[in-house]
Amino acid sequence: MKEITSNIYYVGVNDRNKNLFEGLWPLPNGVSYNSYLIDDEKVCLIDTVEVDFFMPYLENIREVIGERPIDYVVVNHMEPDHSGSLALLRQFYPNIQIIGNKKTFDMMAGFYRLTDGLIEVKNGDSIELGANKLSFVLTPMVHWPETMMTLVTPSQPPRGEATVSPSGDDRGVSVLFSGDAFGCFGALNGAYVDEQMNCDTFWLEMTRYYSNIVGKYGTPVQMALKKLAGVKVDYICSTHGPVWHEYVEKVIGIYDRLSKYEAEPGLVICYGTMYGNTERAAEVIARSAAQAGLKNIVLYNVSKTHHSYIIRDLFRYKGLIVGAPTYNTGLYHEMNVLLDELSQKDIKGRLFGWFGSFSWASKAVSEITRWNEEKLHYEQVGEPVEIKQALNDATIAQCEALGRAMAERLLQAE
C-alpha cells in the first residue's frame, strides 16, 4: 500500500502513452494523474483520475479499503483528467457524496449530469472525518474558476488529550491537497514522495508545467499563496507529479517566483528561418551577447523546437530576442504563432529585441514591432535589425550591437 502519512494513501495512476497534454504540450516522460484516499471513520477520496484509467484506479482504491464503501470524494478541480472517473465511481459507490463548491457543481452537471448527493462548501468551511478534518480553501482561476485546495489536519482532540507529530509539533501533520497547483509533468517511476526519488528531472518540468498551463494566472496564484501564508504544511499532494515533503518550501518558492514573473538574467533567442540567413543573424547576436559577459543564453528554431519549451524558458529568463523572415507579405507563420502564444500568457517585465529578413518586400520587422506595441508591451532593448537577402558588414555590426545591448541591460539588472 502507498501510504503517505498516517491513513493517507496515494491511489493515482501513470500515463506513459499520451504524447501531448491537453493536445498541446509534449509529454516525453509521461504524466501522472494523482488521487488520494483518507482511510478514517469516514472514507474520503481526494480527486479522481482520467476515465481511461478507471479500472487500475479502482484496484488501487480496493487495495487500501477492500470492499468497504467510500463516504466522500472531494473535487478540487473539474478538468476531466481529475474528475473524469466521477460518474463511474458513482456506479461502484452509489452512496458516495461529492464535495465541491458552487462552480464545481455547475460544471459537474454539464460534464457528467451529476446533480444529486452533493455537499457544497465555501471558503473556510470544514468537514470532520474522524481523526482528520478537511478544511477548504477556494483558489479561483488557479487555473479554472472552480479550483480549490483541501487542507487535512488532525481533528481537535478531546479536552485533556494531546496529539504530537514525530517532529514534535503539537499541531500534528498537515497535508495540503492542492489540485493542479505545485504540479509538474512526468510520470512517477515507482516512488511517489519526493524524499524517495531523485527529483532532478522534475524541476524544469515544474517550470514548464506552470508556464504552459498556469502561467497566465499569476495574480490568482499570488492570491492563493496569500491565503496559505502562515498555514503549516508538511505535505503537498498535487494532482500531477511527486508528493512534496522534503521540498515543500522549495516548490512554494518556485510558484511564488513564477507567479510574480521574476526571472534570471538570461536570454532566449527565437528565430524562424527558411534558408539559413535569419539563423546566421541569431548566431551573431548570441555570440555578441556572450562576449559581453552573459552566460545564460538559449537559441531555438521556432519550426523545430516545440513552443512549450520556449515558453518555459521565457519564464526562466528575462531577455527575449526574436527574428524571422517576411513570408506571404507578412510574418513567418511559426513566429506569428509563438508571439500569439506569448501574448496570451501575459508574461510581464521582459526585455525585448527583434530582427527580421526579407528578399524583396520588407514586413517582418514591422510586424514584430506591431506585436510588441499592441500585445506584448515589453521594454525594447537595442535597435531592430532589418536584413535584406543576406547578412553584410553593416547588418552584422547591427546584430552585434543588438546582442551587446541586451547583455548589458540584463547584467545591469542583476
Side-chain angles (χ1 to χ4, degrees):
M1 293 186 185
K2 301 174 182 177
E3 188 171 24
I4 296 169
T5 186
S6 180
N7 296 323
I8 298 178
Y9 297 86
Y10 178 89
V11 291
V13 298
N14 287 299
D15 186 347
R16 304 181 193 280
N17 300 314
K18 184 174 290 182
N19 291 319
L20 295 174
F21 190 78
E22 298 182 337
L24 292 169
W25 315 113
L27 293 174
N29 302 313
V31 68
S32 66
Y33 308 123
N34 299 342
S35 175
Y36 306 92
L37 190 143
I38 305 170
D39 185 11
D40 206 329
E41 293 174 23
K42 297 285 188 179
V43 176
C44 180
L45 271 177
I46 309 287
D47 294 303
T48 73
V49 303
E50 193 167 273
V51 68
D52 292 351
F53 294 85
F54 181 77
M55 291 316 296
Y57 175 54
L58 186 61
E59 290 176 12
N60 291 345
I61 293 170
R62 286 176 169 170
E63 185 182 344
V64 179
I65 61 170
E67 297 301 319
R68 290 167 55 207
I70 300 174
D71 297 285
Y72 304 120
V73 56
V74 174
V75 181
N76 285 319
H77 184 23
M78 270 298 299
E79 257 188 305
D81 54 336
H82 308 303
S83 68
S85 291
L86 283 172
L88 278 174
L89 199 63
R90 236 325 148 66
Q91 292 185 31
F92 282 82
Y93 299 98
N95 296 320
I96 194 170
Q97 293 182 285
I98 302 173
I99 299 172
N101 58 70
K102 183 181 185 304
K103 291 180 180 177
T104 307
F105 298 143
D106 290 344
M107 291 185 179
M108 195 177 297
F111 274 115
Y112 310 119
R113 300 183 184 178
L114 293 172
T115 56
D116 60 346
L118 311 180
I119 298 175
E120 182 181 332
V121 294
K122 298 180 176 64
N123 188 67
D125 286 353
S126 62
I127 292 176
E128 298 279 349
L129 300 179
N132 294 286
K133 179 176 75 171
L134 309 176
S135 299
F136 304 100
V137 182
L138 271 60
T139 56
M141 297 315 302
V142 183
H143 54 121
W144 275 26
E146 87 304 348
T147 52
M148 67 181 194
M149 300 183 189
T150 302
L151 184 69
V152 176
T153 55
S155 294
Q156 187 68 32
R159 186 171 296 177
E161 294 185 17
T163 59
V164 180
S165 71
S167 65
D169 190 321
D170 62 6
R171 291 178 292 173
V173 174
S174 60
V175 181
L176 180 68
F177 297 95
S178 61
D180 273 350
F182 311 114
C184 58
F185 295 130
L188 301 178
N189 301 320
Y192 48 93
V193 180
D194 59 2
E195 61 191 356
Q196 302 165 346
M197 65 179 76
N198 184 333
C199 291
D200 290 351
T201 60
F202 286 108
W203 301 122
L204 277 181
E205 287 295 75
M206 173 175 279
T207 299
R208 188 165 70 92
Y209 179 87
Y210 179 93
S211 64
N212 293 183
I213 309 299
V214 188
K216 182 180 178 68
Y217 304 105
T219 299
V221 171
Q222 279 293 305
M223 292 175 65
L225 291 175
K226 284 182 173 63
K227 286 184 177 181
L228 296 171
V231 175
K232 176 180 179 286
V233 177
D234 296 293
Y235 292 86
I236 295 177
C237 296
S238 177
T239 45
H240 297 293
V243 172
W244 303 112
H245 179 48
E246 181 179 356
Y247 294 113
V248 164
E249 289 186 11
K250 179 173 181 173
V251 300
I252 292 174
I254 289 172
Y255 260 62
D256 185 40
R257 185 180 71 253
L258 292 172
S259 59
K260 291 176 180 174
Y261 303 100
E262 294 176 354
E264 301 174 51
L267 174 59
V268 182
I269 302 175
C270 305
Y271 63 90
T273 193
M274 290 185 287
Y275 303 111
N277 292 302
T278 317
E279 182 174 50
R280 283 188 280 277
E283 295 281 0
V284 172
I285 293 167
R287 184 169 63 248
S288 179
Q291 290 171 345
L294 189 65
K295 293 182 177 179
N296 293 324
I297 304 171
V298 291
L299 271 74
Y300 290 120
N301 183 331
V302 294
S303 297
K304 181 179 180 183
T305 300
H306 195 284
H307 296 177
S308 172
Y309 298 94
I310 299 172
I311 294 168
R312 175 200 68 188
D313 281 352
L314 193 55
F315 269 81
R316 296 172 66 201
Y317 298 133
K318 192 173 181 67
L320 172 66
I321 294 177
V322 303
T326 299
Y327 194 82
N328 281 345
T329 68
L331 183 60
Y332 187 69
H333 174 266
E334 285 302 312
M335 183 57 69
N336 241 336
V337 173
L338 175 65
L339 295 177
D340 184 53
E341 289 173 340
L342 295 182
S343 72
Q344 292 179 40
K345 295 298 179 187
D346 198 25
I347 307 167
K348 297 175 175 62
R350 295 305 182 259
L351 306 177
F352 190 47
W354 61 98
F355 62 103
S357 62
F358 67 100
S359 293
W360 68 89
S362 173
K363 197 67 177 178
V365 166
S366 63
E367 281 297 292
I368 297 171
T369 302
R370 184 181 63 80
W371 269 109
N372 193 44
E373 290 175 350
E374 296 181 4
K375 298 284 187 177
L376 300 174
H377 308 299
Y378 296 153
E379 178 185 334
Q380 179 180 338
V381 174
E383 292 298 320
V385 181
E386 191 166 51
I387 303 160
K388 183 175 182 179
Q389 290 143 12
L391 285 168
N392 55 36
D393 290 346
T395 50
I396 287 172
Q398 291 168 17
C399 287
E400 290 173 340
L402 178 57
R404 187 166 53 251
M406 180 62 78
E408 290 172 352
R409 181 71 178 80
L410 288 166
L411 293 171
Q412 194 180 63
E414 269 192 283

